[in-house]
Amino acid sequence: MIKFAIVEDQAMLRESLACAIGAQSDIDVVASLGDAALALEAVETSGATCALLDVCTENDSSGIVAARKIKAARPDVKVIIMTGMPEITFIEQARNAGVDSFVYKNVGTSELLSIIRSTMDGYSTFPLAQQSIFSDAAQLTDTELAILRLVCETKTRKEIAAELYLSEGTVKRHISEILAKTGYDNILRLAVHAVSTGLIVPSMTKGSQEE
């Protein structure tokens, strides 16, 4: 039986993970918390044999820092890092911390369960570093880029739909596709990153962007 600990600051996601993972006959969720700073204590108290830690958790605690502490104190415990942010450096940081596996939050439940079990069997899973849209804007279609540009200009979904002659439902679907492609779980966070890295300049016109 795998004794499993979950460290995730978003309560809804944490509860969903606990429900899905705990429903497995070979996995028992023995700890579920939102602050990575408490992860080592939770693992030692609960007797967890595997821990899933988000990179960024409550109180600005780092799952990677917590992972390093867990591996130093309890090298027998398997540690999996997860994140919804496509920061290439996280993978290397996780490796350096001695993490056993690494997953992005956009994986399906069946794939996550497979990674948990293979990690417990001694296999490590590390994805190829996801290229961020900020270095490869071609991942997004012209319509998706136009929607992201308008989000960066603080336009509402209704305003975006009117400007691009789309239905609000279509805009919502495109936003979901944008998030799936980039690994982000929030379009506003993505917009902030797009502006800060220079991919999107809010004042530019659609025509100048395409050039």
Side-chain angles (χ1 to χ4, degrees):
M1 176 70 74
I2 301 170
K3 293 184 177 181
F4 202 77
I6 299 170
V7 183
E8 162 60 51
D9 64 329
Q10 296 181 35
M12 186 177 295
L13 177 56
R14 184 170 68 245
E15 292 168 7
S16 295
L17 286 169
C19 182
I21 295 171
Q24 307 304 304
S25 61
D26 59 335
I27 305 177
D28 181 19
V29 177
V30 295
S32 178
L33 57 152
D35 189 343
L38 306 176
L40 175 57
E41 180 183 355
V43 165
E44 293 182 326
T45 300
S46 66
T49 55
C50 185
L52 177 68
L53 293 84
D54 191 6
V55 170
C56 301
T57 69
E58 291 177 359
N59 301 316
D60 295 323
S61 297
S62 167
I64 293 177
V65 171
R68 188 185 300 276
K69 292 179 179 178
I70 291 172
K71 296 302 289 186
R74 295 289 306 277
D76 55 313
V77 174
K78 301 295 185 182
V79 177
I80 303 170
I81 284 290
M82 67 175 175
T83 185
M85 297 181 289
E87 298 289 346
I88 294 174
T89 59
F90 285 155
I91 296 177
E92 191 59 33
Q93 289 176 42
R95 286 185 186 277
N96 292 337
V99 166
D100 299 282
S101 291
F102 187 106
V103 298
Y104 286 106
K105 287 185 179 180
N106 57 3
V107 301
T109 301
S110 60
E111 184 176 353
L112 176 59
L113 291 170
S114 177
I115 290 171
I116 291 170
R117 292 182 176 113
S118 65
T119 299
M120 289 302 298
D121 286 337
Y123 297 97
S124 291
T125 298
F126 282 85
L128 294 175
Q130 288 189 348
Q131 275 205 318
S132 166
I133 64 162
F134 311 113
S135 60
D136 184 11
Q139 289 187 44
L140 301 184
T141 65
D142 290 343
T143 298
E144 289 166 351
L145 279 171
I147 289 172
L148 180 57
R149 174 179 58 82
L150 292 172
V151 171
C152 292
E153 294 175 359
T154 69
K155 297 291 180 67
T156 65
R157 188 184 301 167
K158 183 176 182 179
E159 291 171 333
I160 293 172
E163 182 159 339
L164 299 180
Y165 302 101
L166 301 171
S167 69
E168 289 188 55
T170 298
V171 171
K172 182 179 180 180
R173 177 173 58 80
H174 278 300
I175 288 175
S176 295
E177 289 294 323
I178 292 169
L179 295 177
K181 288 180 178 181
T182 61
Y184 273 76
D185 60 0
N186 184 294
I187 192 64
L188 296 180
R189 291 181 188 173
L190 174 58
V192 169
H193 201 164
V195 172
S196 66
T197 54
L199 174 67
I200 300 293
V201 178
S203 60
M204 66 170 52
T205 64
K206 184 176 181 180
S208 62
Q209 181 178 343
E210 292 176 341
E211 293 172 1

